[in-house]
Amino acid sequence: MMLEYSAYIILLIQIVLIHESTASLFSDECLRHGLKSYYDPTTDSCWIVETTPFTYDQAKSHCNHMPGYDGHLAFPKTLNHSWILYTKLGAPDSWIGLQHFGSSTTVSNKSEWYWTYPDGRKEIAADALWKGSYPTTGECAMSSGNNVNSLYSTACTAIPAKFICQYDSSTAHHETTLEHKCKQQNQWFWWNDDKSCLLLDTLMRYPLYAQLMCTHIPGYRGHLVFIKTIEKMNALNAFRNAAVSPYYFWTGLNRDKNMTSGKAGLFWRRFDGYKEGFNLNAFLPGQTSHLDTPGADNMFSWTDYFEDWYDAGWAWTLCEYEETLRYAPTLLDIQCASLSLPHLYYQGSCYVRQESSVTYDVAKKFCTHIDGFNGRLAVLHNSELVRLMYFTLTLPTGGADSTHVGLERLNTTGAADTGYYWILGNGQTLPVTDFTPFYPGHPNGKICTILSNYYLTTYECTYQRPFICEYVEPTKGTHFRINANTANMKAIPQFILKVYDDLTLQESCGYQCTKEPDCRSIVYNEKTRNCLLQSVDSNMLYVKSANIVSAPGYTWYDRY
Ligand SMILES: *[C@@H]1O[C@H](CO)[C@@H](O)[C@H](O)[C@H]1NC(C)=O
Ligand SMILES: *[C@@H]1O[C@H](CO)[C@@H](O)[C@H](O)[C@H]1NC(C)=O
Ligand SMILES: *[C@@H]1O[C@H](CO)[C@@H](O)[C@H](O)[C@H]1NC(C)=O
Ligand SMILES: *[C@@H]1O[C@H](CO)[C@@H](O)[C@H](O)[C@H]1NC(C)=O
């Protein structure tokens, strides 16, 4: 029912969008973009000045802000165009779509200059209206600083400048909901070849945690970016360079463990866990170094190459959302994504970090960021969750490294390390059974608990600290999702919590799992009716594939 309703809403939005783009005239739409736009009837195109200063390469990939049309840096081919740029748009000394291809010593050869599109297509521009003796130096072109003659050349990396985008009415297309959403946001980047929207998160994270952040657009499954063409690599490089102090970003490219050569075993990890093999030599035959450290099996991208790095490497996160990877988002999923505080939507919970330093009792009352989802201080009942909070919400945000979480000593009659319970909310509690996330010497009898780095420590409740709240899907932990990628596999014995020998149904196996807080997945063998409850899920196995062993006949289901 919920799903049908969402589909209906999406359909409604699409109808409204389609209606909008056909019902209004292109010229009106163009002028709606403000004072700095001009509709040119001779070429039936819309010219828009972008005033954020960029270098040429950055500018080239930023003509994507007119929803429903593909843009490129402007092609002022006639004298009247120069006049328009100068008088109508007030845009002298701005980048245009004219570029030199050849040796940098032959810039003066006008036959080597081309009108260029962001996807690499180009048209010869031998008769471009150059000013005076230009082109002289530099391989990129700008509009003239005066009204008279028109274009001149300069270095592409010269001081960042304004740029002029041109949108041709012939490129009109019915845009999808994702495209529309993406183009409305200045910091998001639409990559038309893959019909995908890209978002750059400039906090530093380890790759395992970086991939978990890709939940920005509810309704579209995100993954670390896939880069399978040179055009995309160049465009993303320019996109990244538009940020302050550009840095490396993680891609979805990984290497199988224990390879003997750096370029072997490369694959793209898809959102559903499947691997897609990747032949680097076919893609970048020129890349000879940078991928030479098997063991450092995560790849980031820099200018025109991939580089490998270890699990404990820092980089930015570039998430990609594809039109085809749709799902019906839950209300909590949507509300979580809309929060401006640091947050993480993970396995049916939305975790939110609140920076205000308060006592435990105050913190407990202020898990009110989202209504109606059993707001509580975070319940982090195993080491994975404790590390997850530290490496996603604490370390990257630069906040204080200790926070209140929802663990209390409710029964003080026994030994100092007894009587501790996770506070689940609605009067429910969960006794602590897993002490591995505690710092040595803890719990020590103090009533309240603080997450300190990636350990739990017990303290006086009067300590003032920031806190982490958790909002929970009503169905959290009661569903199981088959993970085909780990079929015929089970966890190694250390991660098996319980074994049932004769459960007639996979559903009964799942039911046993829901009764164990630490149960993260099950494997079930239909023939032998053997059921194993495991404390790992396939997401965690992502980097720790040594934790699974072959087990023919078993099917793996993750709990969520
Ligand atoms: C350029 O074209 C516009 C109409 O698009 C016209 O109003 C203007 O007079 C023309 N300018 C020149 C210099 O030809
Ligand atoms: C200019 O470039 C064109 C195209 O590459 C080439 O055919 C021509 O020979 C060049 N002219 C000179 C004078 O080098
Ligand atoms: C409190 O702890 C003591 C000692 O471990 C135990 O005997 C007692 O039953 C506990 N009380 C409750 C209410 O659980
Ligand atoms: C990789 O090699 C190490 C050391 O030889 C070994 O312990 C580990 O199990 C291997 N991992 C896989 C996935 O084969």
Side-chain angles (χ1 to χ4, degrees):
M1 190 58 207
M2 188 62 195
L3 198 135
E4 282 167 22
Y5 181 68
S6 311
Y8 172 73
I9 297 278
I10 288 164
L11 184 70
L12 204 67
I13 292 170
Q14 277 174 340
I15 289 169
V16 171
L17 292 180
I18 290 165
H19 177 76
E20 257 180 20
S21 54
T22 49
S24 70
L25 280 169
F26 180 63
S27 58
D28 293 347
E29 249 177 272
C30 178
L31 299 177
R32 260 208 306 265
H33 279 265
L35 291 175
K36 293 280 185 183
S37 65
Y38 180 81
Y39 171 70
D40 174 34
T42 61
T43 53
D44 194 17
S45 62
C46 176
W47 299 46
I48 298 176
V49 184
E50 297 287 346
T51 52
T52 309
F54 278 149
T55 62
Y56 192 83
D57 274 349
Q58 295 166 347
K60 211 167 150 178
S61 61
H62 275 79
C63 286
N64 59 356
H65 289 301
M66 192 169 176
Y69 298 91
D70 299 332
H72 54 82
L73 284 173
F75 298 167
K77 293 182 177 173
T78 67
L79 261 186
N80 199 6
H81 284 150
S82 297
W83 174 82
I84 289 166
L85 295 189
Y86 191 74
T87 58
K88 296 282 177 190
L89 291 172
D93 303 308
S94 308
W95 295 122
I96 56 165
L98 180 58
Q99 218 181 335
H100 179 255
F101 288 87
S103 153
S104 59
T105 57
T106 59
V107 237
S108 60
N109 183 344
K110 293 179 180 168
S111 306
E112 292 178 358
W113 285 80
Y114 294 84
W115 303 110
T116 57
Y117 294 88
D119 62 5
R121 278 180 300 136
K122 49 188 204 276
E123 297 164 14
I124 184 122
D127 54 356
L129 296 166
W130 293 103
K131 166 169 143 183
S133 57
Y134 282 97
T136 47
T137 53
E139 297 193 276
C140 289
M142 277 194 161
S143 59
S144 162
N146 65 46
N147 192 359
V148 201
N149 267 319
S150 85
L151 317 169
Y152 67 99
S153 61
T154 184
C156 305
T157 52
I159 355 151
K162 288 192 289 202
F163 54 104
I164 307 149
C165 296
Q166 177 178 350
Y167 300 86
D168 301 315
S169 81
S170 58
T171 63
H173 54 273
H174 288 319
E175 54 170 357
T176 60
T177 317
L178 182 63
E179 179 178 356
H180 185 78
K181 246 183 228 273
C182 195
K183 290 185 172 177
Q184 299 293 91
Q185 302 280 344
N186 240 326
Q187 304 305 317
W188 298 5
F189 181 65
W190 177 251
W191 181 248
N192 203 44
D193 290 2
D194 292 335
K195 300 268 174 253
S196 66
C197 185
L198 294 129
L199 269 80
L200 188 61
D201 178 336
T202 59
L203 296 181
M204 299 287 193
R205 291 192 175 86
Y206 288 173
L208 171 65
Y209 298 104
Q211 56 154 358
L212 300 178
M213 305 315 292
C214 294
T215 56
H216 302 91
I217 313 184
Y220 297 88
R221 292 212 190 282
H223 56 79
L224 289 177
V225 63
F226 292 174
I227 309 176
K228 299 178 190 169
T229 64
I230 290 294
E231 290 74 26
K232 190 168 179 183
M233 193 169 226
N234 291 337
L236 292 178
N237 187 41
F239 175 56
R240 175 249 319 278
N241 287 347
V244 182
S245 318
Y247 199 71
Y248 307 97
F249 58 76
W250 293 118
T251 67
L253 186 61
N254 290 82
R255 187 194 289 120
D256 275 321
K257 300 289 167 207
N258 296 357
M259 287 291 126
T260 49
S261 136
K263 289 196 198 169
L266 294 176
F267 64 90
W268 297 101
R269 174 68 77 179
R270 293 172 16 145
F271 80 99
D272 56 6
Y274 278 96
K275 298 174 177 180
E276 251 178 69
F278 181 60
N279 180 348
L280 183 79
N281 291 324
F283 174 60
L284 279 177
Q287 177 167 338
T288 48
S289 59
H290 301 296
L291 281 184
D292 31 29
T293 320
D297 295 326
N298 311 281
M299 315 300 145
F300 56 67
S301 154
W302 188 253
T303 61
D304 55 354
Y305 59 83
F306 290 108
E307 182 150 358
D308 49 10
W309 200 243
Y310 295 94
D311 293 347
W314 298 116
W316 288 356
T317 303
L318 184 56
C319 295
E320 179 162 31
Y321 299 86
E322 295 178 44
E323 192 58 55
T324 48
L325 298 182
R326 273 210 173 156
Y327 69 93
T330 65
L331 191 55
L332 181 59
D333 188 359
I334 294 168
Q335 301 223 36
C336 195
S338 72
L339 294 172
S340 54
L341 293 173
H343 60 267
L344 172 72
Y345 184 79
Y346 178 75
Q347 296 191 337
S349 283
C350 173
Y351 301 93
V352 184
R353 186 184 161 97
Q354 175 77 50
E355 214 47 52
S356 351
S357 275
V358 296
T359 61
Y360 177 78
D361 284 339
V362 174
K364 224 170 144 174
K365 287 192 201 107
F366 279 87
C367 286
T368 53
H369 306 94
I370 300 174
D371 274 343
F373 289 93
N374 185 27
R376 64 191 189 196
L377 287 172
V379 172
L380 311 175
H381 56 77
N382 58 44
S383 298
E384 293 299 335
L385 282 174
V386 164
R387 293 177 65 84
L388 180 72
M389 287 304 114
Y390 182 67
F391 288 110
T392 58
L393 295 185
T394 304
L395 192 54
T397 60
D401 62 5
S402 60
T403 43
H404 295 292
V405 295
L407 181 81
E408 265 179 70
R409 189 169 190 223
L410 296 178
N411 179 350
T412 53
T413 56
D417 59 354
T418 63
Y420 285 92
Y421 290 82
W422 289 103
I423 311 298
L424 301 182
N426 300 331
Q428 312 264 317
T429 58
L430 177 73
V432 173
T433 51
D434 181 359
F435 289 89
T436 50
F438 283 90
Y439 193 74
H442 291 257
N444 60 10
K446 301 272 169 44
I447 304 294
C448 287
T449 310
I450 279 172
L451 167 68
S452 182
N453 295 334
Y454 39 89
Y455 293 104
L456 298 173
T457 51
T458 47
Y459 274 101
E460 308 290 354
C461 300
T462 50
Y463 275 54
Q464 303 204 351
R465 288 290 182 277
F467 52 101
I468 298 178
C469 296
E470 179 183 3
Y471 301 87
V472 187
E473 294 284 5
T475 57
K476 180 180 166 90
T478 60
H479 293 304
F480 290 85
R481 165 167 51 209
I482 191 161
N483 193 308
N485 195 46
T486 40
N488 290 330
M489 297 285 199
K490 64 181 166 104
I492 57 172
Q494 287 95 299
F495 298 112
I496 308 246
L497 299 170
K498 267 189 188 157
V499 179
Y500 293 91
D501 280 331
D502 194 15
L503 288 182
T504 41
L505 289 171
Q506 173 263 317
E507 284 75 12
S508 339
C509 183
Y511 175 68
Q512 296 306 327
C513 179
T514 61
K515 295 198 290 187
E516 301 276 336
D518 290 335
C519 180
R520 307 288 294 278
S521 60
I522 54 172
V523 286
Y524 182 70
N525 187 324
E526 276 186 0
K527 287 212 183 76
T528 61
R529 302 195 281 195
N530 184 235
C531 156
L532 308 182
L533 310 189
Q534 314 181 121
S535 63
V536 288
D537 64 48
S538 52
N539 226 344
M540 292 149 62
L541 294 171
Y542 174 64
V543 288
K544 292 193 203 157
S545 44
N547 292 346
I548 52 177
V549 291
S550 168
Y554 284 87
T555 311
W556 182 300
Y557 301 81
D558 283 324
R559 176 178 175 185
Y560 67 99

